[in-house]
Amino acid sequence: MTPGSARSLLFTALGELVWPAGETVRTATLVHILTGLGFEEQTARQAIARASASDWIEARRNGREVSWALTPKIIDIFVTGSVRVYSLSRPVTDWDGRWLSVMPTIPQSRRAARRPLYAGLTWAGFGDPAPGLWLSPHVERAEEVAWLIKELDLVEHTVSLTGTVASIGLSTSEIISRGWDLDALQDHYAQVLERVSRLRPVGAEEILLTHIQTMNEWQEFPRTDPQLPEALLPHWIGRRVARRIEQLRAEWTPITRQRYAELNRA
């Protein structure tokens, strides 16, 4: 999904509005939201159709009208993904100095696994400071990575270790600078913080649309932010940005859910 695309914004609307409501959503409601976000009606309907084809939603017919129910697949994504997103504001202060290293070797016969592997490791907070080596201070995510490696049929092509950084080779600071582009990420966060600080939506409709746009950007942060411990990256701007967005979400949520309920009853 591309941030800001009809597909990604629909995903956010399903997670922020439909999932908490625990009810089906009318096609007209989703189209209203997506057109309000600037998409043509045809684009909105295509996004809904593709969401169905991706097994995110399934049709429920009531006469001539079609409503949509969330599938177990997307609910599972929301449950697991929300944990990662909501953890962005919390500093990691109990790190014991250990790193989880994963060294996958992708054979030619499994080359199609390369992209999902790299995407999954990045989502789990891993960086690649050297060719073939992925590192993360989040050793508690070993089970998540083990599942990824198994799903991609790379168990026989992967070595993993847990331990501290030795005095041989790259220092910890060099590992961090090579493993993640934190300067670019910090600049991005600064831009986001400036932008959200200027948000002043007025009225329920504008608040709902601004909420979806802002949450859509927020849920992308775990794809680029490794959430390094305080001991490695103190006073990280990402945590400040996440706290501000959480505050806005808390302010907007009652209004957006009420407006959504009105739209879905219309």
Side-chain angles (χ1 to χ4, degrees):
M1 294 181 296
T2 302
S5 68
R7 179 177 169 83
S8 70
L9 286 161
L10 174 59
F11 180 89
T12 302
L14 294 175
E16 287 293 309
L17 302 173
V18 183
W19 184 35
E23 301 174 350
T24 60
V25 57
R26 298 166 57 238
T27 300
T29 303
L30 296 177
V31 170
H32 177 94
I33 293 170
L34 289 174
T35 54
L37 290 166
F39 299 99
E40 298 292 337
E41 181 176 340
Q42 181 180 358
T43 302
R45 292 187 180 276
Q46 286 175 343
I48 295 168
R50 289 169 181 165
S52 176
S54 298
D55 193 28
W56 289 359
I57 52 178
E58 53 189 14
R60 296 282 191 273
R61 286 198 171 273
N62 182 13
R64 296 180 62 184
E65 186 175 50
V66 176
S67 294
W68 300 93
L70 301 183
T71 63
K73 174 183 176 179
I74 199 171
I75 291 174
D76 183 62
I77 292 173
F78 290 152
V79 170
T80 57
S82 61
V83 173
R84 187 65 50 78
V85 172
Y86 296 138
S87 69
L88 286 165
S89 63
R90 297 193 293 270
V92 179
T93 57
D94 57 351
W95 185 53
D96 62 4
R98 293 186 302 153
W99 295 77
L100 174 60
S101 63
V102 177
M103 293 160 279
T105 302
I106 304 176
Q108 187 67 12
S109 61
R110 302 295 304 143
R111 62 184 182 278
R114 184 176 290 110
R115 179 174 293 182
L117 172 65
Y118 295 169
L121 288 173
T122 301
W123 172 261
F126 281 74
D128 52 342
L133 173 64
W134 291 81
L135 288 175
S136 172
H138 295 284
V139 297
E140 74 279 2
R141 295 177 187 171
E143 185 176 344
E144 175 183 345
V145 176
W147 179 88
L148 174 67
I149 296 297
K150 183 178 180 180
E151 283 293 299
L152 296 175
D153 195 21
L154 293 173
V155 173
E156 295 182 359
H157 308 285
T158 302
V159 174
S160 64
L161 298 168
T162 301
T164 57
V165 174
S167 58
I168 304 169
L170 299 178
S171 66
T172 299
S173 61
E174 289 171 330
I175 288 173
I176 293 172
S177 65
R178 293 191 185 191
W180 298 274
D181 190 353
L182 295 180
D183 289 339
L185 183 56
Q186 180 171 288
D187 289 343
H188 175 65
Y189 268 132
Q191 294 170 12
V192 172
L193 183 59
E194 181 181 359
R195 189 161 62 250
V196 299
S197 297
R198 295 197 305 265
L199 293 176
R200 299 290 189 276
V202 177
E205 181 78 5
E206 185 178 349
I207 290 173
L208 182 147
L209 298 176
T210 304
H211 180 131
I212 297 301
Q213 288 174 316
T214 305
M215 298 309 113
N216 181 71
E217 186 163 24
W218 185 34
Q219 71 187 16
E220 293 295 321
F221 292 159
R223 301 185 190 280
T224 53
D225 190 338
Q227 296 176 268
L228 297 178
E230 283 282 295
L232 298 174
L233 194 65
H235 313 300
W236 177 234
I237 186 175
R239 288 186 276 276
R240 191 160 73 250
V241 174
R243 284 194 293 270
R244 178 54 184 153
I245 292 178
E246 285 180 353
Q247 291 170 354
L248 292 173
R249 185 177 186 273
E251 294 173 13
W252 294 339
T253 291
I255 300 170
T256 59
R257 290 184 180 174
Q258 180 178 348
R259 177 55 181 155
Y260 166 73
E262 293 171 353
L263 290 171
N264 214 33
R265 289 195 302 265

